[in-house]
Amino acid sequence: MAACPRIAPYLTLLVSISIFFSSSSCGAAAGNLKDDFEVTWAAENVRFEDGGEALQLVLEPSTGGAGFASKDYFLFGNIDMQMKLVPGDSAGTVTAYYLSSETSNHDELDFEFLGNSSGEPYILQTNVFSNGTSGREQRIFLWFDPTADFHTYSVTWTQQRIVFLVDGVPIRVFSNNEAAKGVPYLNKQPMRVFSSIWNGDSWATRGGQVKIDWAHAPFIASYRNFTVAESACVKATSAAACSAQAATIPSSTTAVGEQQVDTGRLQWVESNFMVYNYCTDQARYPIVPLEC
Ligand SMILES: *[C@@H]1O[C@H](CO)[C@@H](O)[C@H](O)[C@H]1NC(C)=O
Ligand SMILES: *[C@@H]1O[C@H](CO)[C@@H](O)[C@H](O)[C@H]1NC(C)=O
Ligand SMILES: *[C@@H]1O[C@H](CO)[C@@H](O)[C@H](O)[C@H]1NC(C)=O
């Protein structure tokens, strides 16, 4: 277990609350993937390495995919994972890294990495489900080769907004528009962290034109250094237990982890790397979605 990173500076002013957070919010802080995650799909293709310091998800034809999920539920927090994506010919593969509440009106935050032919760029698709409603896809190219090394993919999730980040650069913001516009926000349902790899060749690469080439299997995505900080709730027992714990947070701390968004860098991503934004897809949404 690593030390708890990034405690909000203002918390140090609030001594009792600071104790509350430093004891409960760092429970799942970085470390051993074998302790933090359980296999959800194809145990033989979820490989814990170095005693759980690293993990590989393997896609090969016999199982058609593999996946894992965190044992803990989280409500709010800074949640980071380092990933290295399938190298070489990854066309048709989808590697998904996401948070989900798994309920009928579920909340979900998605990073979906759409593979490509050797040398062609991956697409990173993000999506947000709130209270069961989604259809909020955005797609970007990355400014580096995500198969060459590990990079950090993060969600910072507070009462005010959710920011998706890549290596600390904001790529997307979903703000809390519940009071202002009646758009349900992700503030009630604890979520678990999931990842899976599967064959998405009906749609993933060039709109489904490029199929998976099983001659190039196994396709392997790698993970390390999962870190959670400043979470209002970390519970391994159940989502309900997490909600109950979060409900005990003093209202004076509703600004948990309040953050500044680097809008300059966000605009840099949007101008240079964005290839699709549901907010500007008028054929699909003749009426612009409220949160856009
Ligand atoms: C979430 O969806 C349920 C069922 O559709 C609805 O009853 C509830 O009012 C919704 N919540 C919000 C905050 O919109
Ligand atoms: C794959 O590469 C092609 C050609 O560069 C590009 O048009 C496409 O957006 C890339 N990504 C996916 C997922 O198809
Ligand atoms: C592990 O992740 C934390 C949080 O993102 C980061 O501060 C730290 O530098 C990472 N460690 C390594 C070895 O990359």
Side-chain angles (χ1 to χ4, degrees):
M1 288 280 168
C4 181
R6 286 181 297 166
I7 289 294
Y10 76 92
L11 286 178
T12 59
L13 303 172
L14 303 168
V15 175
S16 60
I17 292 165
S18 151
I19 290 164
F20 174 84
F21 277 95
S22 52
S23 61
S24 68
S25 70
C26 300
N32 193 292
L33 299 171
K34 201 163 184 167
D35 294 339
D36 293 343
F37 292 98
E38 62 193 25
V39 174
T40 54
W41 182 8
E44 67 272 36
N45 284 330
V46 182
R47 299 180 183 157
F48 293 98
E49 314 251 292
D50 299 336
E53 290 302 308
L55 187 167
Q56 293 184 338
L57 276 191
V58 181
L59 171 60
E60 45 82 22
S62 78
T63 58
F68 62 85
S70 65
K71 296 175 184 169
D72 286 323
Y73 294 78
F74 306 100
L75 189 63
F76 307 119
N78 297 329
I79 300 172
D80 298 348
M81 179 72 96
Q82 292 186 343
M83 297 174 62
K84 184 163 83 168
L85 299 170
V86 176
D89 177 16
S90 58
T93 69
V94 177
T95 306
Y97 172 71
Y98 59 105
L99 282 76
S100 173
S101 67
E102 307 168 275
T103 50
S104 52
N105 288 314
H106 82 293
D107 290 346
E108 183 175 316
L109 300 171
D110 293 332
F111 289 87
E112 290 180 311
F113 299 91
L114 315 184
N116 217 333
S117 311
S118 293
E120 299 295 341
Y122 261 74
I123 281 178
L124 168 53
Q125 170 168 291
T126 56
N127 200 358
V128 176
F129 290 64
S130 66
N131 201 32
T133 298
S134 66
R136 299 188 174 109
E137 294 86 356
Q138 292 186 353
R139 293 179 164 201
I140 63 167
F141 288 128
L142 295 162
W143 49 94
F144 53 83
D145 174 1
T147 74
D149 207 345
F150 284 90
H151 292 269
T152 305
Y153 301 93
S154 312
V155 166
T156 63
W157 174 23
T158 69
Q159 301 267 17
Q160 290 76 35
R161 64 184 69 85
I162 290 155
V163 186
F164 293 75
L165 304 104
V166 175
D167 291 335
V169 175
I171 60 159
R172 177 173 191 165
V173 176
F174 185 82
S175 296
N176 184 343
N177 279 304
E178 198 162 78
K181 298 179 180 170
V183 179
Y185 187 64
L186 299 80
N187 51 9
K188 296 166 198 72
Q189 305 191 47
M191 299 195 283
R192 289 202 291 164
V193 174
F194 295 83
S195 192
S196 56
I197 186 169
W198 78 85
N199 175 5
D201 72 3
S202 63
W203 62 280
T205 306
R206 299 198 197 193
Q209 290 173 46
V210 189
K211 301 301 176 192
I212 207 161
D213 182 352
W214 290 111
H216 293 154
F219 303 100
I220 300 175
S222 305
Y223 302 76
R224 69 178 192 199
N225 196 17
F226 174 67
T227 307
V228 177
E230 294 177 43
S231 186
C233 182
V234 176
K235 271 277 188 282
T237 42
S238 70
C242 200
S243 297
Q245 179 185 318
T248 66
I249 299 167
S251 57
S252 58
T253 63
T254 50
V256 166
E258 190 165 10
Q259 58 191 324
Q260 298 295 318
V261 179
D262 185 340
T263 50
R265 297 182 96 187
L266 178 64
Q267 278 164 14
W268 173 75
V269 171
E270 289 176 348
S271 336
N272 294 291
F273 300 101
M274 186 169 272
V275 288
Y276 177 79
N277 184 0
Y278 77 108
C279 285
T280 56
D281 186 344
Q282 289 183 348
R284 186 178 176 199
Y285 294 113
I287 299 169
V288 177
L290 287 171
E291 70 277 9
C292 289

